[in-house]
Amino acid sequence: VIRQLINNLKRLQLEDFVTVMEGDFRKIAPKKKYKFIFCDALHNEHEAATNLPFIKELLAGNSFAAFHDITDKTKTVASDVL
């Protein structure tokens, strides 16, 4: 999946605008503010409640986050935290 994402970014000439990181974002993401975060780590309410506060700290003002595999329950947690 990561390889396909990178190939698509190159094909669309977007690779200079995106940094793809794989792993625990709490350990690998540089501690700076981001305008956009895509996260694939909110598969249940516990993961959402655990990870969203850290994601919120990484978001710059007037930014947004996109989540994969979000459910109505994790969406509720996201609304409460973010």
Side-chain angles (χ1 to χ4, degrees), residues 30-81:
K31 303 298 184 237
K32 63 180 191 175
K33 298 293 184 178
Y34 297 88
K35 293 181 182 179
F36 174 74
I37 295 175
F38 174 79
C39 179
D40 187 11
L42 304 179
H43 301 105
N44 60 51
E45 292 172 87
H46 174 73
E47 285 183 6
T50 301
N51 291 315
L52 282 169
F54 293 101
I55 292 170
K56 183 177 180 179
E57 288 179 22
L58 296 172
L59 288 170
N62 296 319
S63 59
F64 62 99
F67 305 102
H68 185 254
D69 296 332
I70 197 162
T71 66
D72 286 339
K73 290 182 180 181
T74 55
K75 187 177 180 180
T76 300
V77 175
S79 295
D80 291 343
V81 174

